[in-house]
Amino acid sequence: MRFARIVLGLLLALTGLLVTIAGAVAAFWLVGPDNTVDTGERRLTSTGLAVMTAPDLLDRHGPTLHVKASSAKPVFIGIGQDLDVASYLGGSQYSRVVRLNLPPKFDTQEMKGGLIPLAAPAGLDWWTVKASGAGEQSISWPIADGSYDVVAMNADGSPGADLRLTVGVELAGLFGTCLLVLGVGVVLLLVGLVLMFIRKRRPPVPLPVVPVVKPLPELQPVGQSPGQHAPAYQSPTYKGPAKRVAGATALLLVATGCVAVPVKNTSATTTSRPAVTVADGQAVVARYNDLNNKANQARDPKLSEAIEGDPTLAMTRAGYQIGRKTDPAGKNKTKPFSYLKPKIGAPQFSSYPMRFVVDSGVSDEPDSRQLGVWQRQSAGTPWLLTHSVYPSTTMKLPPMEGLRVPAKADMDKLSSLPQSAAGNLAIYLTGGARSPKAALFTPSPGMLNLLNQRVKDRTADIKQDYIANATDTFRPSGDLVIFITSAGEGLVFLSLTEQYLQLIEPGSNAYWTSGEVTAFSSFVKYTQTLHRDYLHQVAVVIPLKGHGRMRVLSIDGQLVGAGGS
């Protein structure tokens, strides 16, 4: 029995010594009071544009991730969803961290691509958390469920990253758990030593009874009844070593369970997110207000390219060309204005391009609103205003809350497919109020004014001796942008081209001598036709089947060309 106790004590003592050392090393060297275990500073270089973690490297969520980076150049570090980071770095050369080994070592993979500098990352709004500047930069982020990447690169987006990185993970209660493990190790060590060196005390041996020759009278012990015997001796209760080991093991398991094990990610690899937050969408509009007014004052289409895309950009360029021709002194430049109190409608997207819709007031037009679509082609490009119309305040606009990208089931419920609606609207505008397609639409006030103006134009032109006839033709142009409202209706943004054509009488000639058209053709003689070309932007609401006509919210046009033959 003594041999078995010594062997068990030796095992417990050795186990306790190992656990004590492990707990002490973990508590005071690996972790520390901040509950964080980190890699220490590691140098990572890339001839490409960035160092990025693989999407599956952060495959658990819950702990807080800490990242520090420094470089001889200003440095950027950020964490973003993989759908954004992959789009931003797509086609570029960069280094991907595919594995983190212990002792701390990063295994990287070089991703081939171009070395064209990227847009400065700090100016992009989709980062979950970011830091940028000279010297050491640091970020902290409670790891979320989903596919996220950590990116470190030069702050200006240039290639040739030479970085010193430290990555750490903070687990709540980790330091306390290490101390508890240390305590358990000490207990096991002490128990083992006790079993090895402390002997078990034996009960005292009773003295032998000496027989007497002369019988004595039977004595009765005090407090004992006749016939009752004295109780037998019982040794103290002793808990065996097995129970002690079981208790220590249970304590160790409880201790190590004090730290929540990071939960495995459950979100799909391909995730979606709103195209923009409300705050970021409002910041996009504010930036547009500033740059647009500067571009208008300078009539600078290059500056407009930073905030607009077609078809809006095409209309802006034409307007500047007309202004430079008809107002070279710049006396009639567009007065500064702003879009006020923008309401943001941001559908969910799982890939680029992404779009969001804004319903704003207009500072210099209290009777109008601006309804616009902003688009970002990739994660590294700016938000551009692509579609922009100005409905009257009398028009009921769809709510911005709940806008979504259409699915096939949504399209099947609409009273008309958007492509058909665009074609029928072009037929309606070409044929005028008597068009058979007019019954499909409820026109906006601006659309009625356009139809009436074209009737007046044709009437006046035909009266000219050199004009034989005049026609007006509308056609769908470009791609449609479609959203589904919270009520299930379709909100469609489309563009139409219009050519107003005048047929010249045989033997006559004509040319443009004044007005906006001279910005595109001036004093050039034509003998067959004269034409004016317009680009119109339109917003239409397509109701559900059986819920009435399609509503034209607004149609806004710009002269974009003129000439003849």
Side-chain angles (χ1 to χ4, degrees):
M1 178 64 71
R2 174 173 172 73
F3 176 76
R5 199 167 66 247
I6 292 176
V7 171
L8 181 58
L10 179 60
L11 292 176
L12 286 177
L14 290 176
T15 302
L17 180 61
L18 293 176
V19 172
T20 300
I21 294 173
V25 169
F28 300 108
W29 186 50
L30 294 178
V31 181
D34 59 357
N35 295 315
T36 301
V37 56
D38 63 46
T39 62
E41 189 176 82
R42 293 290 182 271
R43 183 182 181 187
L44 287 176
T45 60
S46 175
T47 56
L49 285 87
V51 175
M52 162 191 164
T53 59
D56 57 352
L57 198 60
L58 299 178
D59 61 348
R60 292 181 180 271
H61 61 278
T64 298
L65 181 68
H66 299 279
V67 183
K68 295 179 182 179
S70 61
S71 176
K73 300 179 181 179
V75 67
F76 170 88
I77 50 175
I79 298 173
Q81 290 195 31
D82 183 63
L83 70 93
D84 298 305
V85 176
S87 175
Y88 177 59
L89 295 177
S92 298
Q93 179 179 336
Y94 63 94
S95 297
R96 172 180 285 184
V97 179
V98 295
R99 188 180 298 107
L100 176 58
N101 295 320
L102 293 176
K105 177 185 177 184
F106 295 105
D107 288 345
T108 61
Q109 176 185 10
E110 291 299 318
M111 310 300 292
K112 296 181 179 180
L115 292 175
I116 299 175
L118 299 173
L124 303 173
D125 56 22
W126 44 260
W127 296 102
T128 304
V129 60
K130 62 184 177 181
S132 181
E136 183 179 87
Q137 301 296 313
S138 63
I139 56 175
S140 297
W141 175 61
I143 303 175
D145 189 1
S147 184
Y148 289 86
D149 305 319
V150 181
V151 178
M153 59 189 297
N154 294 330
D156 59 0
S158 62
D162 187 353
L163 309 163
R164 294 192 176 275
L165 285 177
T166 302
V167 179
V169 177
E170 178 185 346
L171 286 164
L174 181 58
F175 180 65
T177 298
C178 293
L179 293 179
L180 198 52
V181 171
L182 172 62
V184 170
V186 172
V187 170
L188 291 176
L189 178 61
L190 293 177
V191 171
L193 293 175
V194 167
L195 290 176
M196 291 171 59
F197 299 110
I198 303 299
R199 293 186 177 185
K200 179 179 178 181
R201 294 183 62 188
R202 295 182 178 181
V205 179
L207 296 175
V209 178
V210 179
V212 294
V213 177
K214 184 179 179 179
L216 297 175
E218 183 177 353
L219 300 177
Q220 188 72 25
V222 179
Q224 179 176 324
S225 302
Q228 188 176 11
H229 300 285
Y233 176 82
Q234 293 182 353
S235 62
T237 302
Y238 180 76
K239 293 183 179 180
K243 289 186 178 181
R244 294 180 182 272
V245 173
T249 303
L251 181 60
L252 180 61
L253 292 175
V254 171
T256 55
C258 291
V259 176
V261 177
V263 181
K264 190 77 173 177
N265 289 348
T266 58
S267 297
T269 302
T270 302
T271 58
S272 63
R273 66 168 179 82
V276 72
T277 64
V278 172
D280 287 338
Q282 292 172 341
V284 170
V285 176
R287 177 174 180 268
Y288 179 87
N289 289 336
D290 179 49
L291 293 183
N292 182 56
N293 285 323
K294 292 178 180 178
N296 288 341
Q297 293 305 303
R299 288 174 177 160
D300 183 0
K302 287 292 184 181
L303 190 54
S304 294
E305 290 174 3
I307 52 174
E308 292 182 348
D310 290 333
T312 297
L313 181 59
M315 296 173 71
T316 297
R317 284 172 172 161
Y320 290 165
Q321 184 173 342
I322 292 170
R324 288 193 296 269
K325 176 66 176 182
T326 60
D327 179 34
K331 296 181 179 180
N332 298 317
K333 290 182 179 179
T334 303
K335 295 181 180 179
F337 70 93
S338 298
Y339 296 144
L340 306 174
K341 298 180 180 179
K343 300 176 183 178
I344 309 297
Q348 294 274 136
F349 285 90
S350 58
S351 63
Y352 284 86
M354 293 188 182
R355 301 181 180 93
F356 68 95
V357 183
V358 177
D359 172 13
S360 303
V362 185
S363 61
D364 62 345
E365 295 184 22
D367 295 331
S368 298
R369 298 194 65 80
Q370 190 264 356
L371 193 62
V373 177
W374 264 264
Q375 175 174 301
R376 170 176 270 166
Q377 191 64 31
S378 71
T381 57
W383 286 107
L384 302 179
L385 178 62
T386 57
H387 296 74
S388 182
V389 295
Y390 292 84
S392 167
T393 53
T394 60
M395 301 298 296
K396 181 181 179 181
L397 303 183
M400 294 295 98
E401 297 80 7
L403 280 185
R404 64 180 186 271
V405 176
K408 185 179 183 303
D410 295 314
M411 304 294 280
D412 293 340
K413 296 177 183 179
L414 299 179
S415 63
S416 173
L417 291 175
Q419 291 81 0
S420 298
N424 290 330
L425 181 60
I427 294 174
Y428 175 14
L429 290 166
T430 299
R434 296 183 181 180
S435 169
K437 302 298 182 180
L440 299 176
F441 296 91
T442 299
S444 66
M447 179 174 167
L448 293 177
N449 291 337
L450 174 63
L451 291 172
N452 292 333
Q453 184 61 49
R454 292 298 183 260
V455 170
K456 293 179 181 178
D457 290 343
R458 286 196 297 270
T459 300
D461 289 341
I462 293 174
K463 291 181 179 180
Q464 300 293 330
D465 294 337
Y466 60 92
I467 300 297
N469 197 5
T471 61
D472 197 22
T473 305
F474 289 78
R475 292 185 177 87
S477 173
D479 297 327
L480 305 179
V481 178
I482 308 163
F483 302 94
I484 300 297
T485 70
S486 57
E489 297 180 317
L491 174 59
V492 182
F493 294 84
L494 58 96
S495 56
L496 302 172
T497 60
E498 176 195 6
Q499 185 174 74
Y500 185 82
L501 185 66
Q502 299 167 305
L503 301 178
I504 300 174
E505 286 282 2
S508 299
N509 57 64
Y511 48 90
W512 304 110
T513 60
S514 62
E516 295 181 343
V517 287
T518 58
F520 308 100
S521 177
S522 180
F523 290 97
V524 178
K525 292 185 178 180
Y526 302 106
T527 59
Q528 298 180 20
T529 62
L530 292 174
H531 64 81
R532 302 197 303 265
D533 302 318
Y534 296 87
L535 180 60
H536 297 273
Q537 294 194 58
V538 190
V540 179
V541 173
I542 303 178
L544 297 171
K545 292 177 180 177
H547 285 70
R549 300 180 177 184
M550 291 178 279
R551 295 187 295 118
V552 178
L553 299 178
S554 183
I555 179 169
D556 298 86
Q558 170 66 54
L559 179 70
V560 295
S565 60

